[in-house]
Amino acid sequence: MRKPVTACMLTVSTMLAAVAVSGPAIAADIAVRPGPNAAEELAEALIGAQKGDTIWLGFGRYELTDGLSLYVDDVSVRGMGPDSSILSFKEQQGSGEGLLVTSNRVILDGFAVEDARGDGIKSKGSDQITFTNLRVEWTNGPDEKNGAYGVYPVSSKNVLIDNVTVRGASDAGIYVGQSDGIVVRNSLAEYNVAGIEIENSFHADVYKNVARHNTGGILVFDLPNLPQQGGRDIRVFDNEVTENDTANFAPKGNTVAMVPKGMGIMVMANRNVHVFGNRLDKNDTAHVLIAAYPEDYKDDNYMFVPRGVYVHDNTYGEGGGAPDGEVGETISKYSGIPVPDIVWDGVTRIPEWLSWTAPENRIYISEEAGTTFVNLKMLSQLILPWSTTPDTDISAYKGSLPEPAPVELPQDKTS
Amino acid sequence: MRLAGMAGIGAFVAAFLVAATQAAGADYPAILAEKPPRLLSAYGFFEGIKAGSGISKPAQGVVEYDLATPLFSDFAVKIRHVHVPEGKPAKYTVSEALDFPVGAALVKTFAFPADFRHPQENVRLIETRVLLHQADGWKAMAYVWNEEQSDAELKIAGKRLDLSFVDTKGEEVSFSYAVPNRNQCKGCHAISGEIAPIGPKARNLNRDFDHGADQAGNMGAGPRNQLQWWAANGLLAGLPDEGVEKAVDWLDEKAPLDARARAWLDVNCAHCHRAEGPASNSGLFLTWGENSEVARGVLKRPVAAGRGAGDNQFDIVPGRPEQSILITRVASTEPGVMMPELGRALTDERAVEMLRQWILTLR
């Protein structure tokens, strides 16, 4: 499989040779082309790759019946572009994802994964995993039979997702779970249930992405009973979160099945989340929702309420005009329609409800005049239903929190 | 070298003899070779690999064994063999697979009879998977048997085979059988990212097995406890006299349902669903010794089940198998829904039913 570079790839490989001198091993270029044996050749290339190698995917479609996996450190898989080198899993018969990576310092660049039966591209336990210039798509559009996650790094460290397009995921297009050190930027997520989701993760920068025509645009969640929880230090900024208008098509058992159509940015649980500089428009349930984890759980280590959320300097177009689903109904019952731009469920822990919340744990909002807001005071509604009215005085939430430092990734030093 | 009639002399002689006979040529250099041999026969694990006879006669120092509860692999009949180098027994471990020395090999052959109503007849060997313990860790390889059944060839990238058999009810079953590629081996055989054996745990070996006419001359010994036999024959060191856990045969209807379910989940799920396994991020841990009810799935919500969750909210709802995601996933054959996600294309309805009954008993 370790073939000499073929003619058409010479230019790229020469460029690569200049960069790939990190170790004593001689980096090889392994070229795979579409054809009747491509599936086997590609699987063999991924299995037989050695540190420093690059596997090149030639132009065309690869019809695959089984999931692919890469377990070797320091390997790149590069295609000719997200519309040129296409791994199609339409006929997939086995495995939980299209491509699985479990090794470190891996670069995935310039190809597409279509119609995976489970997840699209997953990395588990990787350090320095890079997803660039990729497309992961379910080509039949939104459908609950589509795979759950498009780009899916989990339990990973130093995750870079740049210039990726994901369409049609029945859970989240770009989903980063239980990871630490995350950059998601310049990417497009559309026609998924959740566009971009950061879950149970530490240190994430999510910026300059477009999340549109999903059920919900960008979600920052923390869930109980998982090996890593207590998500924190997350910045969501300079994103376009617009027209999230696709009906929720997640299977009912999934956490995202509760996300109402027309959710812009949602922060559930987590600590120290900063939402700023985003443009929100035409999200018909609410542009921004800050909420506690609403389900029962058994986990003494879990913090179910958001701690320290700072929302500032975003721009808000029209929205909140057609709140959807159970969540939309609960919100609008108290807030009326249109739902204000920013909604906080107002759930606190009982001791805090009885006394006060420490400054670093509060919700702060600093937006241009005219931005609307509501604190639903859900806990008070529950305890004192007759004397509770929602609080719409945005000025009462003025203040700020120190912003987390930008996330720096070792594989991303040039920026 | 037959020792019939000497059985009364005891294990001491048997152990001595096994060492002597192993020293007389039971050496398998291919186990440690950097480049795996292309053909299974090159290892020399089986004498007379030839048409029809298959692998019936293991070579010297290669011992057949059996597990109390095996992994389900599309109803494949599995024949297991172990080799440990002379004088280097595996070390006893309480809960993980036995600690095999470098130079050890685990050899598992997958076969299908044409008709499961006559399981001894027309048995076709499909593949033999080997786990080789080399100095830098375990290596996993799959060899696919040829049409003549005379030898098996290494398949690095795996292979799909169209198989069919007649099941115990007399119905024809056709399916696409997947020989795993080398990475897929690691999809299950991984603890903290390193390849590791799964099956030969003390609890799962702790049962009687007829070792038959082995090279130790232990002929006619009849069924004996495997661990004790291994210890007596130089395959295992450090076996405690008592307190060794015992997994049940999950098909044994006389065994307690909870023990059957726990044994089944331990073998079929816990290689991934454990804190050190490939599915650690799920938080669902189905290991034998897991004590947290939530971690074991009871009223635990899924995190990344996707459509595998269907319309259900919890992995296990006590008393409600129809609401338990675990049942949906074990019963499914759809990639993205079915569990385990590798290693099967068919559903074991008996296991689904056993697990349903078990969940019905949970409170």
Side-chain angles (χ1 to χ4, degrees):
Chain A
M1 277 316 298
R2 297 170 68 81
K3 295 172 190 166
V5 181
T6 47
C8 77
M9 290 176 177
L10 268 175
T11 47
V12 220
S13 71
T14 323
M15 271 161 52
L16 185 87
V19 223
V21 284
S22 52
I26 302 154
D29 288 274
I30 301 151
V32 180
R33 299 171 176 292
N37 299 321
E40 190 172 349
E41 281 175 27
L42 182 49
E44 271 183 31
L46 291 163
I47 292 165
Q50 297 181 17
K51 282 187 174 202
D53 287 357
T54 298
I55 295 165
W56 291 95
L57 306 173
F59 283 95
R61 288 182 79 81
Y62 299 74
E63 306 289 346
L64 300 157
T65 55
D66 279 281
L68 298 167
S69 50
L70 173 64
Y71 292 175
V72 186
D73 289 345
D74 300 288
V75 170
S76 300
V77 180
R78 292 180 187 274
M80 301 292 116
D83 293 312
S84 301
S85 301
I86 297 158
L87 308 179
S88 170
F89 290 88
K90 228 182 172 87
E91 304 303 323
Q92 188 174 2
Q93 297 174 46
S95 301
E97 56 280 307
L99 171 61
L100 170 67
V101 177
T102 60
S103 47
N104 305 322
R105 297 173 303 278
V106 166
I107 297 171
L108 307 173
D109 178 271
F111 60 90
V113 165
E114 289 184 356
D115 300 317
R117 299 292 303 278
D119 303 311
I121 309 176
K122 175 176 176 179
S123 79
K124 165 86 202 299
S126 295
D127 186 5
Q128 296 184 47
I129 175 84
T130 301
F131 303 83
T132 48
N133 197 24
L134 300 171
R135 178 172 59 88
V136 178
E137 182 163 4
W138 283 270
T139 56
N140 55 327
D143 184 333
E144 74 161 1
K145 294 214 173 328
N146 292 351
Y149 301 131
V151 173
Y152 175 22
V154 66
S155 309
S156 292
K157 249 169 73 179
N158 298 310
V159 175
L160 175 60
I161 297 172
D162 192 356
N163 193 22
V164 156
T165 296
V166 184
R167 297 189 184 98
S170 70
D171 195 311
I174 295 169
Y175 171 95
V176 185
Q178 300 179 62
S179 293
D180 189 1
I182 298 145
V183 172
V184 180
R185 67 186 179 213
N186 307 320
S187 292
L188 169 64
E190 57 183 7
Y191 302 105
N192 309 287
V193 174
I196 300 169
E197 184 172 357
I198 309 293
E199 193 166 87
N200 291 56
S201 286
F202 311 147
H203 308 108
D205 278 350
V206 179
Y207 61 97
K208 294 188 178 162
N209 302 288
V210 175
R212 65 183 183 204
H213 302 302
N214 306 286
T215 304
I218 300 176
L219 314 181
V220 180
F221 280 12
D222 199 62
L223 304 177
N225 299 123
L226 292 175
Q228 176 171 311
Q229 54 198 43
R232 59 181 149 83
D233 304 322
I234 290 161
R235 303 191 305 161
V236 177
F237 59 101
D238 297 348
N239 300 286
E240 302 263 330
V241 185
T242 60
E243 293 176 274
N244 287 292
D245 53 8
T246 296
N248 196 318
F249 59 99
K252 286 195 189 62
N254 295 19
T255 302
V256 294
M258 70 169 159
V259 175
K261 177 176 81 172
M263 175 55 59
I265 298 172
M266 179 171 171
V267 178
M268 185 173 78
N270 277 280
R271 173 181 293 279
N272 199 23
V273 181
H274 295 241
V275 177
F276 56 96
N278 301 287
R279 189 173 77 83
L280 297 122
D281 193 20
K282 299 192 177 67
N283 298 301
D284 280 343
T285 290
H287 289 314
V288 175
L289 172 63
I290 304 159
Y293 179 66
E295 313 281 4
D296 291 340
Y297 63 91
K298 268 190 221 165
D299 184 345
D300 295 339
N301 299 316
Y302 179 65
M303 173 52 69
F304 71 107
V305 292
R307 316 265 68 184
V309 178
Y310 181 28
V311 180
H312 63 100
D313 299 299
N314 300 286
T315 62
Y316 300 87
E318 60 182 84
D324 173 56
E326 236 178 278
V327 171
E329 201 176 298
T330 309
I331 295 171
S332 57
K333 189 169 92 185
Y334 299 111
S335 72
I337 297 178
V339 171
D341 298 324
I342 305 165
V343 179
W344 177 30
D345 67 0
V347 175
T348 51
R349 298 159 66 221
I350 298 283
E352 289 172 335
W353 183 78
L354 292 170
S355 57
W356 69 306
T357 301
E360 70 270 21
N361 290 336
R362 292 181 196 164
I363 309 295
Y364 295 100
I365 293 161
S366 177
E367 297 287 18
E368 203 170 295
T371 306
T372 53
F373 165 81
V374 63
N375 172 359
L376 298 172
K377 296 193 171 177
M378 295 298 286
L379 190 57
S380 307
Q381 299 284 0
L382 207 70
I383 299 169
L384 304 168
W386 308 114
S387 60
T388 300
T389 48
D391 177 8
T392 56
D393 178 13
I394 193 167
S395 66
Y397 299 83
K398 260 213 156 346
S400 70
L401 290 167
E403 193 171 315
V407 174
E408 284 180 26
L409 305 177
Q411 74 265 46
D412 186 36
K413 292 221 176 81
T414 49
S415 72
Chain B
M1 193 187 331
R2 288 177 161 243
L3 293 180
M6 290 178 68
I9 296 179
F12 173 74
V13 175
F16 174 76
L17 280 168
V18 85
T21 51
Q22 278 184 348
D27 186 20
Y28 299 98
I31 291 174
L32 298 173
E34 193 183 332
K35 198 172 180 311
R38 194 176 64 80
L39 295 174
L40 181 66
S41 55
Y43 289 93
F45 292 142
F46 305 108
E47 281 175 14
I49 288 182
K50 60 177 191 285
S53 79
I55 55 157
S56 57
K57 194 160 164 32
Q60 229 162 29
V62 177
V63 172
E64 189 177 346
Y65 69 99
D66 198 9
L67 301 175
T69 284
L71 173 78
F72 173 71
S73 308
D74 289 335
F75 301 99
V77 174
K78 296 189 231 179
I79 308 133
R80 298 172 182 80
H81 292 88
V82 59
H83 164 74
V84 296
E86 189 210 336
K88 290 193 212 159
K91 291 191 200 101
Y92 173 80
T93 43
V94 176
S95 54
E96 299 295 343
L98 301 177
D99 184 6
F100 290 95
V102 169
L106 296 162
V107 183
K108 184 158 72 165
T109 300
F110 293 64
F112 284 88
D115 186 336
F116 273 84
R117 292 170 300 179
H118 309 286
Q120 308 293 333
E121 296 167 22
N122 296 318
V123 178
R124 183 180 161 202
L125 306 175
I126 302 300
E127 58 160 329
T128 294
R129 300 181 191 168
V130 299
L131 268 177
L132 311 173
H133 200 186
Q134 300 190 343
D136 59 344
W138 289 91
K139 301 283 149 58
M141 241 80 65
Y143 290 81
V144 175
W145 285 84
N146 60 18
E147 206 57 47
E148 303 79 51
Q149 301 275 281
S150 59
D151 209 338
E153 195 179 344
L154 179 64
K155 287 284 170 203
I156 296 284
K159 196 176 172 63
R160 280 201 171 269
L161 301 166
D162 292 324
L163 296 188
S164 60
F165 58 79
V166 175
D167 70 12
T168 49
K169 292 180 214 136
E171 281 166 33
E172 168 110 4
V173 177
S174 298
F175 68 106
S176 172
Y177 178 91
V179 176
N181 73 39
R182 218 166 71 192
N183 279 1
Q184 288 168 333
C185 295
K186 208 178 161 184
C188 298
H189 284 273
I191 296 180
S192 302
E194 300 297 324
I195 295 184
I198 302 168
K201 300 182 168 83
R203 60 177 173 275
N204 216 5
L205 290 163
N206 192 4
R207 70 185 317 231
D208 287 352
F209 182 71
D210 190 349
H211 296 85
D214 59 87
Q215 59 271 10
N218 231 356
M219 262 195 78
R224 287 187 52 189
N225 180 278
Q226 281 190 119
L227 291 171
Q228 288 167 12
W229 194 93
W230 283 30
N233 286 276
L235 274 71
L236 175 61
L239 179 67
D241 291 336
E242 53 190 47
V244 180
E245 287 188 303
K246 190 169 167 43
V248 302
D249 174 353
W250 77 271
L251 281 167
D252 178 4
E253 292 184 2
K254 288 185 297 258
L257 199 48
D258 190 61
R260 293 169 65 197
R262 292 288 284 266
W264 192 93
L265 295 169
D266 184 44
V267 168
N268 283 277
C269 314
H271 45 271
C272 284
H273 280 284
R274 56 180 290 171
E276 308 81 3
S280 61
N281 56 298
S282 67
L284 176 67
F285 301 145
L286 297 168
T287 28
W288 180 261
E290 179 59 57
N291 288 321
S292 156
E293 282 223 322
V294 181
R296 277 163 51 200
V298 176
L299 295 179
K300 181 189 175 303
R301 292 174 193 279
V303 57
R307 66 203 167 91
D311 287 348
N312 292 331
Q313 313 276 324
F314 301 102
D315 293 345
I316 294 173
V317 181
R320 296 295 180 98
E322 73 288 354
Q323 293 175 14
S324 300
I325 293 168
L326 187 134
I327 296 294
T328 315
R329 305 198 86 173
V330 170
S332 173
T333 55
E334 238 189 292
V337 177
M338 68 185 216
M339 285 286 160
E341 54 185 30
L342 290 175
R344 72 175 180 93
L346 302 175
T347 303
D348 189 352
E349 300 291 354
R350 300 163 307 174
V352 175
E353 189 48 34
M354 182 273 293
L355 293 167
R356 287 179 52 86
Q357 294 300 330
W358 171 65
I359 290 174
L360 278 172
T361 65
L362 298 179
R363 290 288 171 269

